[in-house]
Amino acid sequence: SFSEVAGYTGRDIAIGVGEAAREMRVGVVSANFFRFFDAAPALGRYFTEAEDNPREPASVAVLSYAMWQANYGGQRDVLGKPIQIGPTTYTIIGVSPPGFVGLWADKPPAAYISLTSYAPTMGIKARDSRNWWETYSWGWMSVMARVKPGVSDAAANADLTNAFRQSLAQQRIEQPRTDADSIMRPRAMIGSSTN
């Protein structure tokens, strides 16, 4: 039912080093997140799928336009400079356009980093030999999807519900205390959408 699926979360993370560090909102997003918006970068570029690879995530960041102006004086040589976000030093590769807030109009991100560069800092560990991205412990991440043209809301809801039920079944293997379907009544529904 879907032509594109992206992961995202907003987190308050310390940006900067030492006493200059300040907790700010950071958009933690999959590389395709930016394709959901008609918002070309003001400078540089967004990170790619290759840079959002869980096996070898690239520590790259996109600044918000507001942060670029406030902290870097709008200087174009910001690209390639380091920025400390949480425990990781990132390289600035782009600046989002003026007014771009992603999904967080109430608290716009100061910067955007990839899901795969952030997830290891969450301490996600599999109980066996699997990698963190093969686990079902991703309750911290939300998903948005683009419905394919011509797909009805009922068909999209059915696909989402089926995926949700399959995910819960796998989660129960890892976390046996997960409530049964009869208690949870898992059902997923699409939100606002345009075809």
Side-chain angles (χ1 to χ4, degrees):
S1 293
F2 306 100
S3 59
E4 187 109 55
V5 178
Y8 68 92
T9 190
R11 289 287 192 252
D12 293 329
I13 305 173
I15 297 180
V17 179
E19 293 191 20
R22 298 287 178 267
E23 193 170 86
M24 298 180 190
R25 176 57 47 124
V26 175
V28 180
V29 301
S30 58
N32 63 341
F33 172 85
F34 299 104
R35 291 198 296 256
F36 280 79
F37 305 93
D38 183 16
L43 181 69
R45 63 181 179 82
Y46 297 128
F47 45 87
T48 65
E49 268 107 20
E51 291 166 322
D52 192 25
N53 180 334
R55 294 184 193 285
E56 293 183 45
S59 297
V60 292
V62 174
L63 298 180
S64 71
Y65 190 89
M67 184 169 189
W68 178 46
Q69 294 297 312
N71 291 37
Y72 297 90
Q75 295 181 0
R76 299 184 72 78
D77 67 352
V78 71
L79 300 179
K81 288 191 175 180
I83 183 171
Q84 187 76 26
I85 301 176
T88 306
T89 301
Y90 291 83
T91 300
I92 299 168
I93 61 165
V95 175
S96 65
F100 180 74
V101 297
L103 298 170
W104 303 278
D106 60 328
K107 195 171 182 183
Y112 299 86
I113 59 176
S114 73
L115 282 169
T116 59
S117 66
Y118 173 74
T121 70
M122 293 284 296
I124 301 168
K125 303 245 188 280
R127 294 182 186 165
D128 50 32
S129 62
R130 290 175 301 150
N131 297 300
W132 63 264
W133 59 87
E134 297 171 308
T135 68
Y136 285 81
S137 302
W138 288 51
W140 54 270
M141 184 186 79
S142 296
V143 174
M144 65 179 174
R146 180 172 287 131
V147 178
K148 290 179 181 175
V151 173
S152 70
D153 287 356
N157 287 338
D159 277 356
L160 285 174
T161 298
N162 184 42
F164 184 32
R165 286 178 185 271
Q166 288 179 34
S167 180
L168 280 173
Q170 291 299 313
Q171 183 178 343
R172 283 190 189 95
I173 293 168
E174 294 177 17
Q175 301 167 13
R177 293 184 183 164
T178 302
D179 290 336
D181 283 1
S182 58
I183 295 169
M184 294 183 77
R185 289 182 232 135
R187 186 172 141 232
M189 295 179 62
I190 61 168
S192 61
S193 64
T194 56
N195 285 336

